[in-house]
Amino acid sequence: MAHQTIMAFLHQHHGGKHHDKDRDDDSDSDNEYTLTKSGQPYTLSHKIYFIRKHDQIPVSPFHDIPLFHDKSKRIYNMFVEIPRWSQAKFEVCRSLPLNPITQDTLSKTPSCPRFVPNLFPYKGYIWNYGALPQTWESPHHSDRDTGKKGDNDPIDACEIGSRISYTGEVKRVKVLGILGLIDSGETDWKVLVIDVRDKLADKLEDMEDVKKYCPGLMDATRDWFRWYGVPEGRRPNKYAMGGRWRGRKYAEKVISECEEFWRELVKGKVKGSRDVSLTNTTLEGTPGKIDPKSVKLPPNEDLPPAEIGQDLEEVAYVDREKSDDEDEDDEEDDLTDDDDDNDDDDDWDDLTNDVALKDLKTMNINLNYW
């Protein structure tokens, strides 16, 4: 049953049609930001800078783009780093001024740009992946429910709408729920969101609706985040709260907390904040505020991607059961009671069972279909 629902989700959200992953940002007339791209894609010189469209001011996606597009309607902004079905590990660079998007590198070979393997039965990332601006998972704060400190990044967002996005797109999204990942011993929240213009947006308000209209998505997301690093030699990730999905109300509470952490950070009140540039062009009274007229961005370039030395069509197989047996850490150490939260609607005990995991491993999907 699990493989049928996941297959239905993958077909619904791809439909066998070709999508232009390199769609230019100007094709989206509603986007309030344009991009300046320098350097050759798939090289360490490649950088993507953000420019506010109406006044042509260079901005930081981390600090200058507002968290809310419309707070009264609970519509958030999200910037996309990695389009769905793609593998290049693009991310906002927190250490560079104005935090351009760059490509992550392999930990063992820092000179090599990183591409995430195709973890069977998936193709690259299975959502439009990015982050919520003006949030920060503080490495100085141990979360009550995860028992771990934050990963020093903006809070991650997985956008599940049907349209494939592009790197640097700023989307208007509604929050649906959240998953508490423990990645390399740090809290790494994953917020599930949907583009407000998507055909399913009016039907999705919380995780109960996701379960109804996107069957298989919750299990597939949890499975992907747990195992995606194993083909690169990493241990399986773990989850807080037993791997339960939490609903919109809980997710917005976490986002609000991360927004407050960011406010303290950008005001210069956090001592020892490692490797985070506070440079911005719009936040008056903050120590990182600079005159936008002083910013000299590199010229915009439209270069073809560099050749890469790996086969991006290759499929990575992981024996989930064997890897579980070899994981010596006690996952219960990462779980915390949630008795203080009485919102029963948020308690999503939708854990993938042994049968579902076995179905995932035996699914026969032709990845070239994508």
Side-chain angles (χ1 to χ4, degrees):
M1 183 63 181
H3 74 277
Q4 293 174 337
T5 56
I6 293 174
M7 281 289 288
F9 165 75
L10 294 176
H11 183 77
Q12 172 189 351
H13 285 260
H14 190 75
K17 298 178 181 179
H18 172 74
H19 295 267
D20 183 5
K21 297 178 182 178
D22 296 320
R23 193 171 65 97
D24 188 84
D25 57 299
D26 285 335
S27 66
D28 185 353
S29 59
D30 290 337
N31 203 334
E32 299 174 1
Y33 302 88
T34 59
L35 305 174
T36 289
K37 305 174 185 179
S38 68
Q40 191 173 22
Y42 302 163
T43 70
L44 301 187
S45 66
H46 185 55
K47 297 178 180 64
I48 301 175
Y49 290 91
F50 289 69
I51 299 175
R52 195 165 62 185
K53 186 182 291 186
H54 81 269
D55 55 9
Q56 294 298 295
I57 289 179
V59 295
S60 159
F62 191 170
H63 304 306
D64 290 310
I65 296 177
L67 172 60
F68 286 97
H69 176 76
D70 187 334
K71 191 170 185 178
S72 65
K73 297 180 180 179
R74 313 305 294 174
I75 297 176
Y76 294 78
N77 284 316
M78 167 199 176
F79 55 82
V80 176
E81 297 165 314
I82 307 169
R84 189 170 68 247
W85 313 129
S86 65
Q87 296 161 258
K89 184 66 170 68
F90 290 117
E91 60 185 14
V92 159
C93 182
R94 61 180 180 239
S95 62
L96 289 178
L98 293 183
N99 311 110
I101 291 178
T102 61
Q103 190 165 353
D104 191 18
T105 59
L106 295 171
S107 58
K108 294 182 179 179
T109 51
S111 61
C112 296
R114 182 183 175 194
F115 295 86
V116 172
N118 293 314
L119 173 68
F120 183 82
Y122 315 110
K123 169 66 173 174
Y125 280 71
I126 62 175
W127 341 256
N128 293 312
Y129 187 76
L132 302 182
Q134 296 187 344
T135 62
W136 184 52
E137 296 192 57
S138 172
H140 308 289
H141 171 77
S142 292
D143 185 84
R144 183 197 67 175
D145 290 338
T146 69
K148 304 293 182 181
K149 295 181 179 180
D151 69 352
N152 202 33
D153 283 325
I155 194 167
D156 295 324
C158 305
E159 195 277 315
I160 64 172
S162 60
R163 184 176 64 83
I164 292 179
S165 188
Y166 56 89
T167 300
E169 181 177 9
V170 179
K171 282 179 168 285
R172 304 167 190 175
V173 299
K174 62 195 300 186
V175 168
L176 304 172
I178 195 168
L179 187 63
L181 184 71
I182 305 298
D183 190 344
S184 302
E186 297 176 322
T187 299
D188 190 6
W189 294 108
K190 306 299 179 184
V191 181
L192 203 69
V193 302
I194 188 167
D195 190 323
V196 295
R197 298 169 298 178
D198 191 83
K199 62 183 180 181
L200 281 180
D202 290 340
K203 297 180 180 180
L204 302 183
E205 298 294 337
D206 213 317
M207 293 308 295
E208 183 176 4
D209 302 319
V210 174
K211 189 175 184 179
K212 177 180 179 180
Y213 292 103
C214 305
L217 173 60
M218 295 162 67
D219 284 341
T221 297
R222 187 168 35 234
D223 181 74
W224 194 95
F225 277 120
R226 175 155 172 75
W227 301 105
Y228 81 99
V230 173
E232 297 178 308
R234 299 169 57 188
R235 299 177 71 85
N237 287 322
K238 298 181 179 181
Y239 288 107
M241 300 177 288
R244 294 196 308 274
W245 280 98
R246 307 305 304 273
R248 177 187 56 79
K249 185 180 295 185
Y250 184 93
E252 292 192 323
K253 180 176 67 174
V254 172
I255 293 169
S256 179
E257 185 176 61
C258 290
E259 181 187 16
E260 288 305 310
F261 292 148
W262 169 81
R263 289 188 188 281
E264 294 297 302
L265 172 71
V266 80
K267 290 177 181 178
K269 295 183 178 181
V270 180
K271 295 183 179 180
S273 55
R274 65 183 194 273
D275 196 28
V276 180
S277 170
L278 303 182
T279 303
N280 68 84
T281 58
T282 65
L283 303 175
E284 299 294 342
T286 61
K289 168 70 166 60
I290 61 173
D291 184 350
K293 295 180 181 179
S294 69
V295 178
K296 303 297 182 183
L297 294 181
N300 188 46
E301 299 175 299
D302 187 17
L303 301 176
E307 294 185 5
I308 56 177
Q310 66 185 93
D311 182 5
L312 295 187
E313 297 301 317
E314 184 176 351
V315 180
Y317 295 91
V318 173
D319 188 334
R320 270 78 160 172
E321 292 179 354
K322 181 179 179 181
S323 296
D324 266 333
D325 293 339
E326 293 177 350
D327 190 356
E328 297 177 358
D329 293 337
D330 183 3
E331 187 161 350
E332 291 298 319
D333 290 344
D334 288 329
L335 308 184
T336 55
D337 292 332
D338 201 26
D339 296 335
D340 293 337
D341 189 345
N342 295 320
D343 187 356
D344 293 337
D345 290 340
D346 285 342
D347 286 334
W348 281 102
D349 191 7
D350 190 44
L351 296 175
T352 306
N353 56 33
D354 292 339
V355 175
L357 285 176
K358 188 174 295 184
D359 285 342
L360 280 168
K361 290 189 296 183
T362 57
M363 287 168 61
N364 182 20
I365 297 179
N366 179 7
L367 294 181
N368 289 327
Y369 169 78
W370 293 318

